[in-house]
Amino acid sequence: MIAGLLDGTWKGGDRLTEAEAVERFGVSRTPVREALLELQGLGLVELRRNCGAVFAPFGPDELRDLYAVRSLLEVEATRLAATRLEKDWIEAMIAAFEKIRDQGGVDPDWESDRELHTAIAEASGNRRLAAEIARYGELVQLMREIVGEQALGGIHNTTVNEHLDILHAIERRDEASAAEAMRRHLAQAADSAAGATLRRREEIRE
Amino acid sequence: MIAGLLDGTWKGGDRLTEAEAVERFGVSRTPVREALLELQGLGLVELRRNCGAVFAPFGPDELRDLYAVRSLLEVEATRLAATRLEKDWIEAMIAAFEKIRDQGGVDPDWESDRELHTAIAEASGNRRLAAEIARYGELVQLMREIVGEQALGGIHNTTVNEHLDILHAIERRDEASAAEAMRRHLAQAADSAAGATLRRREEIRE
DNA sequence: TCAAGCCGAATTGTATACAATCACGCGAAT
DNA sequence: ATTCGCGTGATTGTATACAATTCGGCTTGA
């Protein structure tokens, strides 16, 4: 529903009134309003009184900014996880990692990917940090749904190795390496996402 | 309204149904729901189906986590602001700073304080980072309203000097010093907030 | 011609009624 | 005694009607 409002065809500055959204989804204004409020919380629309919701621009610049913040959060969480290294969380991380590895399909298993990132985030010991990371996970997931999941495929083996680097560094309690490995991993993800959105833009132009 | 729901007397795990909130405020469920959703977005309550909203615990640990994340965001923004150093933003920062300094009253002018932090955040050039920082500004403001503003008074001169350190470092394009100055500033703020919440808890116990 | 003021349509904000869902307690069967 | 199942009441989710606000255009006057 929330993703439905963002069908990928909007341009920054486009406006959508609640009435239009109601017409498009066949539900009443109440859930539409809540969805719009949630999108505002994620920073994807700006709600203005009696003017409709205006979509925030979402091009390469915004994607770069988004991944910069995500990286800031997750790198710090990784560093903290390496310093604390609690056994329960290590097991959770490894379980999530093996789930991704054994999946082995061509298309990446984003759910397991999120589980791993969540495990690392919670291993940081900072619940609010973990919550913010989860929020960015939602945002990225939403982006995937808009852009089309298949557009992000074909990076599976690479990500497995990147995850492995991160986990090994955490197990060694090597916080600097762990942070750097996570930084590299997210830089890769950012590049991949940028490519996918560009391809998506071209699809729309056709 | 949002702050009203959190009157400072709740304990973590307490539940509040929409009906109770309606009764307490004399407004209908619609705005109550929106307020609760916003509180959920800020991570202060957890909304569970047919169970009412359960308040998140908010003690010293949570406060520490909160300021850790806030510091992570604002320190990075300060660093970026120092590397970019665009003239317009410098002027905005100085204007906000002088407003705080010339205020000179005993009670800190939190509105101007937020303006300065906002100016620094936007000078980072990362709009999403600035948006997250603004979100944490709201959260801290909310906390002040709950805890009682007066409880945080008496730190005015200290914060002026801290702000000055940050601005001077940014003007020198000394990103390391600027980041460190912001880190110290927020560590002070965290201590101050911790003290205020503790005092508040004692007030309630009486 | 331009500006000021006002009116109406459009849009959001709020209240309330109704539907769906779930928790909790009771009772019966094993 | 414990557990399973069910029914009822409570609570949230949704729809819709109404109030408040605001934007745009039109008129009117200088």
Side-chain angles (χ1 to χ4, degrees):
Chain A
M1 161 86 203
I2 325 177
L5 288 173
L6 278 58
D7 60 357
T9 62
W10 88 95
K11 295 189 290 283
D14 281 359
R15 294 186 179 184
L16 177 72
T17 64
E18 294 178 4
E20 287 167 344
V22 163
E23 194 175 9
R24 217 159 92 196
F25 285 94
V27 295
S28 77
R29 279 179 55 211
T30 312
V32 164
R33 273 180 76 82
E34 292 192 354
L36 285 174
L37 285 169
E38 184 163 349
L39 286 179
Q40 185 183 37
L42 291 171
L44 296 177
V45 304
E46 182 186 0
L47 265 44
R48 305 177 60 159
R49 270 185 80 90
N50 303 328
C51 290
V54 327
F55 290 98
F58 199 76
D61 290 352
E62 285 73 22
L63 203 61
R64 176 176 46 74
D65 287 356
L66 190 158
Y67 268 92
V69 176
R70 188 187 174 198
S71 182
L72 188 65
L73 297 170
E74 296 222 27
V75 166
E76 174 69 0
T78 305
R79 194 183 66 74
L80 289 171
T83 63
R84 290 168 50 95
L85 195 72
E86 292 193 2
K87 192 162 175 295
D88 292 351
W89 290 115
I90 287 283
E91 284 169 10
M93 287 189 269
I94 290 175
F97 169 74
E98 288 178 346
K99 207 162 139 192
I100 301 175
R101 189 194 56 193
D102 298 343
Q103 175 86 7
V106 181
D107 43 33
D109 179 1
W110 293 117
E111 193 185 323
S112 302
D113 184 78
R114 275 182 76 173
E115 271 178 39
L116 175 54
H117 281 259
T118 301
I120 295 174
E122 297 191 324
S124 74
N126 184 327
R127 285 189 202 165
R128 183 164 283 274
L129 182 58
E132 297 298 346
I133 289 170
R135 197 162 141 264
Y136 270 76
E138 274 181 54
L139 197 53
V140 170
Q141 175 63 30
L142 204 55
M143 203 186 62
R144 281 197 203 100
E145 287 173 23
I146 296 166
V147 161
E149 306 199 34
Q150 76 291 345
L152 291 171
I155 53 168
H156 191 54
N157 286 334
T158 309
T159 56
V160 167
N161 286 334
E162 289 168 2
H163 285 153
L164 208 53
D165 289 345
I166 298 168
L167 290 189
H168 281 162
I170 290 177
E171 280 183 322
R172 292 200 312 271
R173 295 177 186 255
D174 182 349
E175 56 174 307
S177 298
E180 174 61 17
M182 178 60 92
R183 197 196 60 74
R184 276 203 309 271
H185 174 49
L186 289 176
Q188 277 293 121
D191 285 348
S192 170
T197 52
L198 285 179
R199 262 172 280 154
R200 172 70 175 162
R201 294 271 152 144
E202 284 166 13
E203 278 175 36
I204 292 172
R205 297 213 175 198
E206 286 167 7
Chain B
M1 160 85 203
I2 325 178
L5 287 174
L6 277 59
D7 60 356
T9 62
W10 89 97
K11 293 188 291 283
D14 281 359
R15 295 186 178 183
L16 176 71
T17 63
E18 295 178 4
E20 288 168 344
V22 163
E23 194 175 9
R24 216 160 91 195
F25 285 95
V27 294
S28 77
R29 277 182 54 212
T30 312
V32 164
R33 273 179 75 82
E34 292 192 355
L36 285 174
L37 285 169
E38 183 163 351
L39 286 179
Q40 186 182 37
L42 291 172
L44 296 177
V45 304
E46 182 187 359
L47 264 45
R48 305 179 61 159
R49 272 183 79 91
N50 304 327
C51 291
V54 326
F55 290 98
F58 198 77
D61 290 353
E62 285 72 23
L63 203 61
R64 176 177 45 74
D65 287 356
L66 190 159
Y67 268 92
V69 175
R70 188 188 174 196
S71 182
L72 188 65
L73 297 170
E74 296 222 28
V75 166
E76 174 70 1
T78 306
R79 197 183 64 74
L80 289 171
T83 62
R84 290 169 50 97
L85 195 71
E86 291 193 0
K87 191 162 174 299
D88 292 351
W89 290 116
I90 287 284
E91 285 169 9
M93 286 189 272
I94 291 177
F97 169 74
E98 290 179 345
K99 207 162 139 191
I100 302 176
R101 189 195 53 193
D102 299 342
Q103 175 85 7
V106 181
D107 42 34
D109 180 0
W110 293 116
E111 192 185 323
S112 303
D113 185 77
R114 275 182 76 173
E115 270 179 39
L116 175 55
H117 281 259
T118 301
I120 295 174
E122 297 191 323
S124 74
N126 185 328
R127 286 188 202 165
R128 183 165 283 273
L129 181 58
E132 297 298 346
I133 289 171
R135 197 161 141 266
Y136 270 77
E138 274 182 55
L139 197 53
V140 170
Q141 174 63 30
L142 205 54
M143 202 185 62
R144 279 195 205 103
E145 287 174 24
I146 295 165
V147 162
E149 307 199 33
Q150 75 291 345
L152 291 170
I155 53 171
H156 191 55
N157 286 333
T158 310
T159 57
V160 167
N161 286 334
E162 288 169 2
H163 286 153
L164 209 53
D165 288 346
I166 298 168
L167 290 189
H168 281 161
I170 290 177
E171 280 183 323
R172 292 200 313 270
R173 294 177 186 258
D174 184 347
E175 55 173 307
S177 298
E180 174 59 17
M182 178 59 92
R183 195 195 60 73
R184 275 203 310 269
H185 175 49
L186 289 176
Q188 277 293 121
D191 284 347
S192 169
T197 52
L198 283 180
R199 260 171 282 154
R200 172 72 173 160
R201 294 270 152 144
E202 284 167 13
E203 278 176 36
I204 292 171
R205 296 213 176 201
E206 286 166 9

